[in-house]
Amino acid sequence: MAERAIGIDLGTTNSCVAVLEGATPTVIANRGGYKTTPSVVAMSESGKRLVGHIAKRQAVTNAENTAWAVKRLIGRPWTSPAVQAVKAAVPYGLIEGPHGDVRIRLRDQLFSVPELSAYVLQEMRAIAEEYLGQTVSKAVVTVPAYFNDGQRQATKDAGRIAGLDVIRIINEPTAAALAYGFGKKIDGKIAVFDLGGGTFDVSILDITNGVFEVVATAGDTFLGGEDYDKRLVDWLAQGFAKEHKVDLRADTMALQRLKDAAEKAKCDLSSVRETEINLPFVISTGRNQAFHLHRVITRSKLEELTLDLTERTIQICRLTMEDAGIQPEDLSEVVLVGGMTRMTKVQELVGEFFAREPCKSVHPDEVVAMGASIQGAALVDAAAAPDMLLLDVTPHSLGIMVAGGHFHRLIDRNTTVPTAKSHIFTTVRDDQTSVKIVVFQGESDRAEENELLGEFVLSGLRRAMKGEVEIEVTFEISADGIVSVSAQDMETGAEQSITVTASSGLTESEIARMAAESQEEMVASRAEEEVEKERQRIEKLVNEAEGLLPKVEEILAGTPFGEDSLDNVRLILDDARMAVERRDAGGLEQVAEPLMRTLNMFRGVVDSGRLRSG
Amino acid sequence: MPKDTSLEIRQLIQRGFEHHEHSRVHDALSDWETALKLDGRNAQARRLVEFGRARAAEIEAGRHTPPSRRDTVESPIPQFLAALTERKSDKIAVPDERAANGPAAAPSDHALRLRATADKPAERKASPASETDVPAAADTLEDLPVHAEDVRASAEELLGECRTALGENRASPAALAAELALQLAERAPPPGVDDLVDPARALFERAFRAFLGNPHACPIRAVPTETLTEHGLDERAAFLMSRMDGMTSLADLIDSSGFRRFDAVRVLAALRRAKAIDILPPLP
Ligand SMILES: Nc1ncnc2c1ncn2[C@@H]1O[C@H](COP(=O)(O)OP(=O)(O)O)[C@@H](O)[C@H]1O
Ligand SMILES: [Mg+2]
């Protein structure tokens, strides 16, 4: 069967996967029947990795071991303000990694951000594979338009760790526009209004002959559906406190239920005008006194509680449009993206501001993945989407630092990629034998005000008067927006280069190791025969151990190796039996080692028992 | 294109659950049957119809009493704890659950026989608290006229009973003994019996798990959550109940509770003992 490429929207709160079937993108539902999967990864007490809904459902009660919204961290250096802002806001542990990157602690394990994103990608991949009935190795993954090179690189790394060849990274607004078929239909400007679970983005795209250019993009990485939920949670908790003098938010179980219920009510209110929130026995004070929460909420109440949030998105749109010098009437279309745009008030205010009816699909949280799948199909099979040409632009200017701390731009912002550009520089001192190339991105003329992407040294230059030795610096940006920079000594031809990966925070060998590690997992969880083999092996071991158990019990009866230790061993056998019955690859992996230890111990005990009695 | 009935099915299944919680078995069954008619391949609807029919037949045959109409069953646990404080008998019996829960209970469920009182009447008299009358279900044994030695002896017997019962595949008494031992440890007056009970946690967990049965089976609510206090259950039980959707298995529920695994298993066992939940067979 022909290799297919899937499209993945790796979102801050939810991820979504789609594949092009015939000419239509199909969004694939997960096992629970949902078409989006929470981008949440957690570690349970028994060391089991939880991904998706199951992880989200325990995000409050197991807050310290649950990573969510890691997209806000991906590809960012530890010292960046964004990371520090997240650190202050989340209950899970963030620490500085060995390369100035971010590591996340769940239970006793440290994870890099791409690794955690990889678990989500792996889940999306598995959902697609189950649906398609074939393995999938190629994917197009979307990122926000403002993602810099490091963030894009880190997203690619995540794909690699998940065993996916990320054949292209594309911008989310571009993907949404593709899903609407705008590449063919429209020549002109469109606005993409994307209000998701944790972030808000607005982008203006200019589409000419199927080429998409991001003209302007802005947003707020801390404004989204969760803020709406929180308003509702606070309203419910305050009402409850007034009546019962208890703050539900102080109790993790109550808060978890409150959050779940608030989000559900919010979503319900997009289609009905009134809904009930019912949380029986949400908390108790002392023995036998249970408190129930029962409340009715109307759509207009929700709108009232969250109006300022919705207005803030409009305010950002206004500033962005002004900055870009664009009037609403210059736009051909306005597109709604993100689950929160199902809220009628959001649609209403967007329509008002842009003075037109926005395009909305029934499922605005699925259009980005749909667009990505269209792009994926076009890339693996040009015939599938013949006249689609998709080009993106650089979101930031790129250049190097020159004498005096100035920023010398080589590639301007909004340049269509792929692209390459060279410039010749010279030495600044007499007898200078090496030059340091320091790469930045940003719009300021002062290099230090821009973002450092990486640096390298070209040495072995001929001793000469300043300005005599010439060095050619070349910037290249691939179609994914990945930057490589090289410097060449024009006299000797000696060359140095880097691919800007520094801000991904992972070294090549680390990525390779992680990919190998999760590759093993993938192989284990995908290849049925492998699981079956392991299951049979473990089953044999369990059978043997269970067979020896009575003998062991007999020998050990009344010895210092007491019943309690035997109980631990029995628990291991129970776990192993369960994993065997469940055909649970992860469980089998987990029990293999303790089971082997147990069995060896049993064999030893029985042998020595035999010696003693024989 | 057939019209998308998935939302309607989900709502019907949901409404069926609510009927079921309130012991309206026939209404529940009828909603589930409607759901199955909408989509004959819906595994969840099919499973619920089977469950509903079996339950209706049990009621018909008098083999099942809906929990809300059942005479309030005294939880064996407060009784046990109260009995610990009774001076006259030198043996107390934990009430046989079979008697409490009707003929449906397994015949292998023996009553636990436990010796819990002291044979040191002199010392007992010295205890001032023993002069006062004691409420039947106390929160703590600290104020109760029990002796540390009595408590210790009881704990030891409970541990023994748990182990024996589990060894004989009598999961229900094993789990009950485990629960009683834990409650004893939680309420025992100083110096307590933690040194006995803590090392037995693996045993207890096995007992609870055995009592819960197949970890892929999916629990559903059998009583309204509001009524949990009547069964002596707390908000942790209510929390776990709130996560039950008929699709989430026991194993997943335990993993996604955010509780320590031991606690989750223990609370689920308590829910099962109180018949506050029903358990559906695993999804295919
Ligand atoms: N019907 C709905 N009405 C209102 N909000 C919704 C609805 N469906 C989903 N949402 C909200 O959309 C947000 C998720 O948006 P989504 O686009 O999936 O996330 P992401 O930020 O990952 O792009 C959540 O806050 C969710 O509650
Ligand atoms: Mg999104």
Side-chain angles (χ1 to χ4, degrees), chain A residues 17-22 24-29 35 131 369-370 373:
Chain A
V17 60
V19 65
L20 197 69
E21 293 187 302
T24 12
T26 305
V27 177
I28 307 172
K35 292 191 173 169
Y131 174 80
M370 287 164 64
S373 75

Side-chain angles (χ1 to χ4, degrees), chain A residues 220-402:
Chain A
D220 184 337
T221 45
F222 287 91
L223 173 58
E226 275 162 22
D227 300 291
Y228 288 72
D229 299 347
K230 182 153 189 308
R231 292 290 168 84
L232 207 46
V233 165
D234 288 342
W235 178 74
L236 289 166
Q238 281 156 9
F240 192 86
K242 217 182 257 167
E243 198 178 333
H244 300 295
K245 311 275 169 291
V246 193
D247 188 356
L248 290 177
R249 290 164 297 190
D251 180 271
T252 53
M253 285 185 289
L255 181 60
Q256 176 83 60
R257 290 177 67 186
L258 207 51
K259 272 192 165 176
D260 295 350
E263 182 175 8
K264 179 168 181 302
K266 175 192 74 177
C267 295
D268 288 348
L269 288 174
S270 295
S271 46
V272 298
R273 300 197 153 268
E274 191 178 289
T275 189
E276 264 181 38
I277 296 171
N278 224 334
L279 297 176
F281 202 164
V282 66
I283 204 162
S284 73
T285 58
R287 196 165 55 91
N288 262 352
Q289 199 187 9
F291 289 136
H292 316 305
L293 184 149
H294 182 91
R295 206 84 197 258
V296 171
I297 181 158
T298 60
R299 184 186 288 174
S300 55
K301 185 70 203 177
L302 174 67
E303 291 173 357
E304 178 198 317
L305 291 170
T306 58
L307 186 62
D308 62 308
L309 298 172
T310 313
E311 278 173 343
R312 208 151 94 214
T313 64
I314 301 298
Q315 184 59 19
I316 294 171
C317 289
R318 182 170 297 122
L319 292 174
T320 312
M321 295 280 281
E322 275 170 21
D323 269 3
I326 296 167
Q327 306 298 318
E329 55 272 23
D330 299 338
L331 298 172
S332 315
E333 293 286 357
V334 174
V335 179
L336 293 180
V337 177
M340 266 316 296
T341 63
R342 296 197 204 199
M343 184 173 172
T344 45
K345 191 70 184 175
V346 172
Q347 297 174 0
E348 183 189 312
L349 291 192
V350 171
E352 233 166 63
F353 172 75
F354 288 103
R356 77 177 62 241
E357 188 67 25
C359 309
K360 48 176 198 257
S361 79
V362 207
H363 304 301
D365 37 4
E366 296 165 14
V367 292
V368 169
M370 287 164 64
S373 75
I374 295 173
Q375 176 67 18
L379 287 170
V380 290
D381 180 8
D387 32 58
M388 204 186 55
L389 172 71
L390 172 65
L391 295 177
D392 258 325
V393 295
T394 56
H396 304 282
S397 300
L398 290 157
I400 63 170
M401 179 159 77
V402 294

Side-chain angles (χ1 to χ4, degrees), chain A residues 45 260 284 567 575 582, chain B residues 163 209 216 235 243 261:
Chain A
E45 188 207 351
D260 295 350
S284 73
D567 284 328
D575 280 337
R582 280 175 100 170
Chain B
R163 180 160 289 131
R209 272 161 48 165
H216 316 296
E235 66 261 47
R243 322 263 99 192
R261 186 171 79 169

Side-chain angles (χ1 to χ4, degrees), chain A residues 91-106:
Chain A
Y92 51 85
L94 290 183
I95 53 171
E96 185 172 2
H99 318 294
D101 61 330
V102 180
R103 299 284 152 123
I104 293 169
R105 189 200 309 278
L106 302 180

